Amino acid sequence: MFNVTILGNNSAVPAFDRHPTSQVLTTNNELFLIDCGEGTQMQMQLYKIKRSRINHIFISHLHGDHYFGLIGLITSYGLMGRINDLYLYSPPGLQVIVQMQLDVANVVLPYALHFVTITSNTILLQNNKIKVSCFATNHRIACYGFRFDEVKSPRSIDAPKCLQHEIPAAYYTKLQQGENYEKRDGTIVLNEAVTVANTAAKSYAYCADTKYDETILPFIQNVDLLYHETTYLDALQDKATERYHTTTKQAAAIAIQANAKQLLIGHFSSKYSVLDDFATETQSIFANTVLAIEGGVFEV
Ligand SMILES: [Zn+2]
Ligand SMILES: [Zn+2]
């Protein structure tokens, strides 16, 4: 399982039943929250997100539409008796803001809150399931995009077959890398007999907020699913540039150059009550484009 659920798809203010930015990446092991605009908790309840399975929250930047829901979520976790550590990744400033909010309310959280301050393009998290890296986007204040890469070995163990061939579990890692197994008597057990091929590792990249900027391309190359902001329609390209945002056609151009398989667009300006033109304009250049509709679940 590797999919994205949209909780909020609007920019700046809530409007037309659309909420400020937030989304959840669901994997087999855990959920990752990406941005946490106002209303994120309510949207989590509406769309049945298991928030207790979130241990890492990635905040792109400190414009309110991307984190004003955070203090509510942090305190709710405390009231619900959370004990697992929670990691918050963001550009500088978040720790001061959150700590002040907790201090004035005399809140002592029952769990550990770790702040990871992002100041450069780097790998934020890496384990045997996932790798998360960040890259600077081009916005009015410090802002980062995130790339999530599934980590998978080429092969999976077929446990009953391994038992049948009496292969010790200590050898499983080598089998997952494709090696054969040699028994004591010299018989070779072929890898294909005791493993199955894994599906390809998937990747997801999140780019919001940003003006059109090709310097992000090396970081989002070949992603399976690319989320890119489209705050404005094509007619407002000058305004987009001036406000450090992107238009439909510009996002499509980024998707083409990044060789992305699919493009997901969001962060719509509250100027627009209907979103149909966002899809039409973007698809005219990059056909495999979908709108980040709230509640939508997009398979990576
Ligand atoms: Zn924004
Ligand atoms: Zn912004």
Side-chain angles (χ1 to χ4, degrees), residues 119-139:
T119 52
S120 62
N121 301 345
T122 185
I123 295 169
L124 297 173
L125 176 65
Q126 188 163 23
N127 57 38
N128 61 359
K129 302 287 181 199
I130 196 136
K131 177 176 136 185
V132 187
S133 42
C134 67
F135 51 91
T137 65
N138 189 342
H139 200 40

Side-chain angles (χ1 to χ4, degrees), residues 79-151:
L79 294 169
M80 292 184 302
R82 179 189 176 105
I83 49 169
N84 292 338
D85 289 12
L86 182 65
Y87 293 82
L88 300 179
Y89 305 81
S90 81
L94 187 64
Q95 182 164 10
V96 176
I97 297 166
V98 169
Q99 199 57 55
M100 184 177 67
Q101 287 174 306
L102 295 174
D103 287 349
V104 293
N106 197 22
V107 171
V108 179
L109 296 171
Y111 62 93
L113 196 53
H114 303 278
F115 292 89
V116 180
T117 301
I118 304 172
T119 52
S120 62
N121 301 345
T122 185
I123 295 169
L124 297 173
L125 176 65
Q126 188 163 23
N127 57 38
N128 61 359
K129 302 287 181 199
I130 196 136
K131 177 176 136 185
V132 187
S133 42
C134 67
F135 51 91
T137 65
N138 189 342
H139 200 40
R140 194 186 295 277
I141 59 172
C143 184
Y144 286 83
F146 303 107
R147 177 177 175 134
F148 300 80
D149 286 286
E150 248 187 325
V151 176

Side-chain angles (χ1 to χ4, degrees), residues 10-12 21 61 63 65-66 139 209 245 267:
N10 217 45
S11 69
T21 300
H61 65 302
H63 280 154
D65 54 329
H66 296 257
H139 200 40
D209 296 353
H245 286 302
H267 197 266

Side-chain angles (χ1 to χ4, degrees), residues 10 37 43 48 63 66 70 84 114 126 138-139 208 210 246 254 266 269 274 297:
N10 217 45
Q43 293 290 85
K48 309 214 171 351
H63 280 154
H66 296 257
L70 195 55
N84 292 338
H114 303 278
Q126 188 163 23
N138 189 342
H139 200 40
T210 187
T246 310
I254 290 288
S269 164
V274 286
V297 180

Side-chain angles (χ1 to χ4, degrees), residues 165 167 171 180-190:
H165 287 281
I167 302 176
Y171 202 82
N180 295 329
Y181 177 69
E182 186 178 347
K183 292 188 177 177
R184 278 203 192 127
D185 64 5
T187 330
I188 302 290
V189 179
L190 289 176

